[in-house]
Amino acid sequence: MDLSKVVTFARNFSVLVKVEGPDPKGLKMRKHAFHQYNSGNTTLSASGMLFPRSVLSGVDGQDMALVLTVASLVEPFLTLGHRTSVSQDPVKLIPGARIEIMVEGQLNSEKEDPFWVPAQLLSLVDVPVSSAALKSLIETSVGSKDSGWDVGWSLVSGDTDSQPSATNMKHYSKPLMQRDEPQDAMFMAKSATRMALLGVSLSLLGQPNINIASVSSKGDTLVTLGSPFGILSPLHFFNSVSTGSISNCYSSGSLKNSLMIADVRCLPGMEGAPVFGKNGHLIGILIRPLRQKNTGVEVQLVVPWGAITAACSHLLPSDEGKTSHWGNEVVRIEPVQVAVEKAMESICLITVNDGVWASGVVLNEHGLILTNAHLLEPWRFAKGGVYGEGDDNGLRPHVLGAEEFSSTRSRFWEHESQTLPRKAPADLHVKKYRHNFLQTGHRDIRVRLCHHGSWTWCTAKVVYICKEQLDVALLQLEDVPGTLQPIAADFSSPPLGTPAHVVGHGLFGPRCGLSPSVCSGVVAKVVHTKKRLYAQPILQDTTEFPAMLETTAAVHPGGSGGAVVNSSGYMIGLVTSNARHGAGTLIPHLNFSIPCAVLAPIFKFAEDMQNMEILQTLDQRNEELSSIWALMPSLSPKPKPNTEHSLPKLLKDGNNKQKKGSQFAKFIAETQEMFVKPTKLSRDVIPSKL
């Protein structure tokens, strides 16, 4: 189904939900990213899904409809008894509170524009399987360097302690989680996944039937219609479209997909929006994101429809589709990116000394692994360009990959996983492969491989670490389990705008029980060199020489060493770094990768691993490549010594008086020596102002 048709179809089910009630002290908005406050009343809004009342156990109610939304919208206006716990008794709002929903005009033959309809709160529903999955995800991330988690949007502005005016209407944005409130994993998980069921008096005779997707997989397309900042201006924000894909799936209990991690860009107010697949099949409900406190990174979450119906089977239709208003259960949809899923088998997770983790790429069946050098030698990339912290003002490049987690005496790889077995099957053939290039050291390097639903931990040794500008390293598995799935590479320069998929272990580390995540985008920029990279041409047919890739796919800490693959499943680059604001907030969609054309000697070496001289070509200094990865402009030629207006003369001119442009000339004079020298990735490189 065409995307525009999916959007048109979804408009029949997407609504805006607002709750307004008395709030004399201005406390109801504390856990919300935005609100309206007017004369002692607070108004909050979120998105919701509309469907016929007749789905309730065969009840005939053509003039009644149901709305499903997130419980966090109505919880501030519940009576005290219902605010503390979900009761079987009918939930009640405080006196003066009221709920309304905005519906598309196409659902009513008498109206053309969207209109408001009063609604009543029927019940609150906990979703145990999704809550357990989110709780496990939070708890297993505890101990990471930046693993403090909140549930909610990162949008923050203004003074959070100020009281709103009692006379004028104002719009506010506040932190979703107050620092003085205790936030344990169980509370956050239950609060985030709890749903609210509303009833409205509305005839939906013209609403089309809907099919429910039985199984969703990583890489599947997502389409959601929500109302970000809806109450601020419904005219501008009602039922806005956002698209993306499923990045990962988390299992809990008997349900395969208990919680989905979505690679989709959403804004506050979109929680509660229905999520559809590429053919218009219902996948689940969008909830508030999981947010990393230190970096501000938001992880969008979707509660699958199967988990919701399991929690309230007495109220909502299951995915068996037995009611007249719901289509039959659809056959499993083949993933949009089948080739990308195959490439995922080549991505592994690497840990060093129980202290950091990153991603890696399997290059051959002998267990040769490609990853980033900053995982093994972080001190080399402490300053300068993409590999350092850069300038404290504004944007600064950042090495994203070697994410730290706390080391414990109980090794994480010995624990049973909730999703996949940690140990290799007993009948798995293990072979040893050794050569003379292994480097000795005190590093404890372990690699986790995934084979057909099983995890296998293997020890590894260092084969090669690039000594020059490239952030690459090679590892060799000491014991090679079974048959590995090497990655296939594409050495050409990818056209701008073509799909790009980042596959790696970003954000969630070894304890979380997740396979590699997939984030999708496009190739935004390819930086080329002006001449061939290597003296001995390894790629005979190459006419373009890409030196750096930039994509719009999200890249998170822990994802470095992962692969950038195209829609055919071929690797086009090695994930290396992304950017970070001066205040510390990551910019996931601004990232840098090493093209496979630059890594050609490594792929050549991986064919038989006999000729170490091939790798030595990477250790040859390349000034142009080095300057590109230092985020510096092209190197200027040496100035002629006998110019008529040399820089020193300009600086001395005018009896030491500052003339127009003299400050810039002074800067050039002081730094020209550094610009004409070969650029080195060391502490003497001028930090990029990017």
Side-chain angles (χ1 to χ4, degrees), residues 130-142 147 149-151 177 182-193 290:
S130 298
S131 175
L134 182 55
K135 175 177 175 290
S136 175
L137 195 61
I138 295 173
E139 289 180 339
T140 51
S141 298
V142 171
S147 64
W149 295 100
D150 270 346
V151 172
M177 290 293 179
Q183 295 294 332
D184 56 51
M186 179 176 294
F187 174 82
M188 284 193 292
K190 292 187 69 173
S191 174
T193 57
L290 190 63

Side-chain angles (χ1 to χ4, degrees), residues 249-498:
C249 302
Y250 202 83
S251 302
S252 177
S254 59
L255 191 63
K256 180 180 179 181
N257 290 343
S258 302
L259 187 69
M260 297 180 186
I261 299 175
D263 178 25
V264 57
R265 306 182 77 171
C266 298
L267 292 170
M270 294 190 70
E271 62 269 28
V275 179
F276 296 88
K278 67 171 184 177
N279 293 324
H281 303 125
L282 179 63
I283 292 177
I285 299 294
L286 187 75
I287 62 175
R288 292 176 295 166
L290 190 63
R291 175 170 54 88
Q292 203 171 42
K293 294 179 182 178
N294 291 354
T295 64
V297 171
E298 294 177 354
V299 182
Q300 303 297 336
L301 303 175
V302 175
V303 175
W305 187 255
I308 297 174
T309 56
C312 48
S313 57
H314 60 293
L315 294 176
L316 296 178
S318 67
D319 56 5
E320 296 177 356
K322 296 182 179 179
T323 63
S324 59
H325 286 268
W326 297 79
N328 294 328
E329 181 180 9
V330 298
V331 180
R332 180 184 185 276
I333 305 171
E334 287 297 323
V336 177
Q337 306 295 348
V338 177
V340 176
E341 284 197 342
K342 183 178 180 181
M344 289 172 52
E345 299 179 7
S346 305
I347 307 303
C348 58
L349 185 146
I350 305 171
T351 66
V352 179
N353 296 335
D354 299 6
V356 297
W357 89 83
S359 306
V361 182
V362 178
L363 295 183
N364 60 23
E365 295 182 353
H366 304 304
L368 189 66
I369 307 295
L370 173 64
T371 188
N372 286 140
H374 71 251
L375 172 65
L376 305 172
E377 297 181 349
W379 57 86
R380 285 182 51 202
F381 306 96
K383 287 183 178 293
V386 170
Y387 302 114
E389 294 300 317
D391 191 90
D392 288 334
N393 299 320
L395 192 66
R396 57 182 178 180
H398 174 67
V399 173
L400 62 110
E403 184 75 346
E404 298 181 6
F405 62 97
S406 62
S407 176
T408 60
R409 298 301 299 174
S410 177
R411 293 178 181 268
F412 54 83
W413 52 79
E414 294 176 356
H415 289 260
E416 291 296 323
S417 169
Q418 295 182 353
T419 56
L420 297 173
R422 295 282 181 177
K423 298 179 180 179
D427 58 348
L428 185 62
H429 175 66
V430 177
K431 57 185 178 181
K432 295 180 179 294
Y433 186 89
R434 302 183 185 280
H435 52 69
N436 298 326
F437 305 137
L438 299 181
Q439 302 179 14
T440 59
H442 300 290
R443 302 185 185 95
D444 181 13
I445 304 175
R446 291 182 177 257
V447 178
R448 193 191 75 184
L449 304 168
C450 182
H451 294 284
H452 306 292
S454 297
W455 288 349
T456 307
W457 284 97
C458 305
T459 56
K461 296 294 184 182
V462 177
V463 174
Y464 167 78
I465 299 177
C466 183
K467 300 180 179 63
E468 285 298 332
Q469 57 272 336
L470 294 181
D471 185 7
V472 295
L474 291 175
L475 306 176
Q476 170 65 52
L477 301 181
E478 291 188 323
D479 300 314
V480 181
T483 302
L484 301 181
Q485 180 66 47
I487 196 77
D490 184 347
F491 300 102
S492 63
S493 179
L496 299 183
T498 55

